[in-house]
């Protein structure tokens, strides 16, 4: 998810304790190898150019019956009829490609249920024993369904964002961009989200944030929004995919003008630094210090003026638990005295934000993002529309985040009064846009990491970032 404000699996590819390097399975490039190739490679390979289906047809020959009589005109009296044999495919080789926009169910592209691993990083120092420890490997195998759900959701994220990065262009409305991403996620997961409870099973795990320039996070177009993406905009694209409540949360920054490249490089470096430093028993305050050092070693020149890149000090990464984008732990992106430790089995969204402004954000603009508070107080609702809306939220989203466009999509009308009543009662939490000073530029990169017993897996990693 986007940012958390700082406060005061299922058949596996290969052996669960090991990871094969991730591959990016993008639209027009998903190829499932034949069994013989899969055995040698360990998992399906992506082929950027696409491949043709291998087909072999056995040749047929005309056969004459032995001793067939010949008439006076020299014609053959009898012949065996030609038998046409069906084309046979070599082994089980098939070519599968994703459509553009993405609409092919992800499970159709991976019929064996084996989804690509993320990038795996071995634990360091006193935790190196985890890589080969038999007890830890056994614990890994026990969570195979969980791992499979995460890898499947991550592959959906990769394919959708690949398409988005290729197709987002100046002149598009933010609504067009957001709906293109979300419709693709729903199609690939097989969960349109229109029937009661369907979105709780899988689909969009976090509404698409399209935060531009000084807006750092949590901005998504509401109904009637006509904002158009501009050539010189710096847009943070932040969305989540989930299966069975296990959320893959990942974000990137999209630009068209290379003048912003140093800003993007700073944030990408900072996020990768946070990922590298993260691990079991690591204190989150130490991770924040490393992130800040990496981030603030960069500067960017805009219109003849040089700006230092600053870590946005009141934005954090966070842990993720089932059906909830925020589990309670934060990962600061500046030096901190927070001695909270990461633990085995936890999932974290490592996200960093850099800014050319103050490096500090505040709430502003119209809210689009909401989620049901899992610890909501039991209070009487005085607004009648709030009761019906609460029932819709519980049955449609549970505690997963949603946005106002999703309520519109379900046919809800004139719900703002009821929604505001639920927020003021503490039953629903609102996530307003977070902004730095006007005229500044902010960037974000984010990955989801799994602290498995044997290895740290950057499950959302792709060839793009």
């Amino acid at each position: 998810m986007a940012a958390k404000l700082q406060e005061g699996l299922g058949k596996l590819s290969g052996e669960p304790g090991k990871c094969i390097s991730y591959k990016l399975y993008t639209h027009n490039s998903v190829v499932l190898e034949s069994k013989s190739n899969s055995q040698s490679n360990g998992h399906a390979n992506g082929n950027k150019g696409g491949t043709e289906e291998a087909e072999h047809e056995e040749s047929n020959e005309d056969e004459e019956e032995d001793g067939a009589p010949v008439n006076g005109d020299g014609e053959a009296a009898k012949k065996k009829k030609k038998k046409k044999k069906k084309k046979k495919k070599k082994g089980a080789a098939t070519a599968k490609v994703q459509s553009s926009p993405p609409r092919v169910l992800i499970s159709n592209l991976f019929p064996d249920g084996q989804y690509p691993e993320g990038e795996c990083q071995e634990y360091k120092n006193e935790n190196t024993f985890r890589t080969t420890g038999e007890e830890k490997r056994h614990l890994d195998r026990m969570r195979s369904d969980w791992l499979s759900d995460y890898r499947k959701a991550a592959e959906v994220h990769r394919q959708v964002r690949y398409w988005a990065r290729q197709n987002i262009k100046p002149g598009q409305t933010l609504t067009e961009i957001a709906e293109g991403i979300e419709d693709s996620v729903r199609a690939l997961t097989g969960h349109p989200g229109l029937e009661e409870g369907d979105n709780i099973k899988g689909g969009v795990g976090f509404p698409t944030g399209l935060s531009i320039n000084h807006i750092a996070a949590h901005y998504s177009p509401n109904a009637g929004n006509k904002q158009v993406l501009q050539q010189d905009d710096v847009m943070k694209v932040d969305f989540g995919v989930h299966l069975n409540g296990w959320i893959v949360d990942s974000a990137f920054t999209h630009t068209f003008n290379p003048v912003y490249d140093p800003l993007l490089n700073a944030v990408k470096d900072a996020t990768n630094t946070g990922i590298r430093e993260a691990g079991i028993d690591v204190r989150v305050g130490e991770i924040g210090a490393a992130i800040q050092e990496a981030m603030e070693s960069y500067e960017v020149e805009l219109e003849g003026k040089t700006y230092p890149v600053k870590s946005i000090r009141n934005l954090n990464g966070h842990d993720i638990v089932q059906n909830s984008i925020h589990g309670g732990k934060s990962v600061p992106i500046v030096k901190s005295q927070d001695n909270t430790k990461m633990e085995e089995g936890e999932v974290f969204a490592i996200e960093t934000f850099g800014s050319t402004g103050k490096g500090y954000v505040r709430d502003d603009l119209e809210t689009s993002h909401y989620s049901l508070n899992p610890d909501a107080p039991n209070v009487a609702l005085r607004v009648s529309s709030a009761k019906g809306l609460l029932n819709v939220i519980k049955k449609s989203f549970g505690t997963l985040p949603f946005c106002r466009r999703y309520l519109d999509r379900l046919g809800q009308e004139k719900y703002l009064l009821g929604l505001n009543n639920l927020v003021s009662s503490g039953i629903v939490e609102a996530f307003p846009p977070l902004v730095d000073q006007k005229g500044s530029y902010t960037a974000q990169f984010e990955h989801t990491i799994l602290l498995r017993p044997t290895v740290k897996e950057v499950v959302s990693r792709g060839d793009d970032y």
Side-chain angles (χ1 to χ4, degrees), residues 49-313:
T51 62
E52 297 180 355
E53 191 173 320
E55 295 181 347
H56 295 270
E57 183 179 3
E58 296 184 1
S59 60
N60 297 320
E61 295 182 354
D62 295 340
E63 297 178 355
E64 291 185 354
E65 288 186 353
D66 293 338
V70 180
N71 61 17
D73 296 329
E75 294 178 353
K78 290 183 181 179
K79 282 188 178 181
K80 281 188 177 180
K81 293 183 178 179
K82 294 179 180 180
K83 292 182 180 179
K84 292 184 178 180
K85 295 187 178 182
K86 294 182 178 179
K87 292 180 179 180
K88 292 184 179 180
K89 296 175 184 177
K90 185 179 180 180
T94 58
K96 297 284 189 177
V97 298
Q98 186 54 263
S99 61
S100 178
R103 292 295 183 269
V104 179
L105 199 66
I106 200 73
S107 57
N108 288 349
L109 302 182
F110 297 88
D112 60 358
Q114 297 184 22
Y115 298 95
E117 299 93 340
E119 176 196 25
C120 288
Q121 300 181 7
E122 294 184 358
Y123 292 118
K124 300 184 295 184
N125 303 325
E126 66 273 10
N127 278 316
T128 53
F129 76 95
R130 293 178 172 275
T131 305
T132 56
E134 184 54 40
E135 179 184 353
K136 298 303 180 183
R137 292 160 68 86
H138 174 68
L139 290 173
D140 226 5
R141 288 190 290 269
M142 289 179 66
R143 301 199 72 185
S144 61
D145 289 345
W146 168 82
L147 188 54
S148 180
D149 280 347
Y150 255 115
R151 288 175 176 170
K152 183 177 180 180
E155 182 60 19
V156 171
H157 199 288
R158 277 189 290 269
Q159 291 196 20
V160 172
R161 78 184 189 229
Y162 175 85
W163 170 80
R165 288 165 69 90
Q166 297 298 314
N167 288 275
I168 292 174
K169 298 291 188 294
Q172 291 179 310
T173 66
L174 299 194
T175 300
E176 180 184 358
I177 296 168
E179 291 182 348
I181 290 172
E182 291 159 357
D183 287 347
S184 298
V185 169
R186 295 181 184 115
L188 270 60
T189 57
H191 293 284
L194 292 174
E195 295 183 5
E196 189 176 287
D198 187 46
N199 190 68
I200 296 175
K201 297 175 184 177
V204 180
F206 183 74
T208 304
L210 300 174
S211 305
I212 292 179
N213 300 337
H214 71 291
I215 306 172
H218 297 175
Y219 186 90
S220 192
N222 288 324
N225 187 305
K226 300 185 185 303
Q227 184 172 354
V228 172
L229 183 63
Q230 304 297 321
Q231 176 71 30
D232 287 327
D233 282 342
V234 177
M235 183 170 69
K236 281 69 64 185
V237 182
D238 186 357
F239 69 98
V241 179
H242 88 94
L243 287 167
N244 297 315
W246 300 115
I247 306 170
V248 169
D249 190 12
S250 186
F252 61 91
T253 299
H254 198 74
T255 61
F256 308 102
N257 190 336
V259 71
Y260 301 113
D261 286 354
L263 173 62
L264 273 61
N265 292 338
V267 182
K268 193 180 296 185
D269 185 9
T271 297
N272 286 331
T273 297
I275 291 169
R276 184 180 66 247
E277 296 300 318
I280 296 169
D281 295 331
V282 176
R283 290 179 172 84
V284 297
E286 296 174 357
I287 299 173
I291 289 173
Q292 183 177 19
E293 182 178 2
M295 179 86 74
E296 299 186 354
S297 66
Y298 289 79
E299 57 186 24
V300 55
E301 183 177 336
L302 300 173
E303 297 181 349
K305 185 176 180 180
T306 300
Y307 297 86
V309 179
K310 301 176 184 176
S311 284
I312 300 181
R313 60 186 180 275

Side-chain angles (χ1 to χ4, degrees), residues 448-459:
T448 296
I449 66 170
L450 314 178
L451 298 184
R452 292 167 49 193
T454 57
V455 74
K456 171 176 54 183
E457 181 169 347
V458 191
V459 71

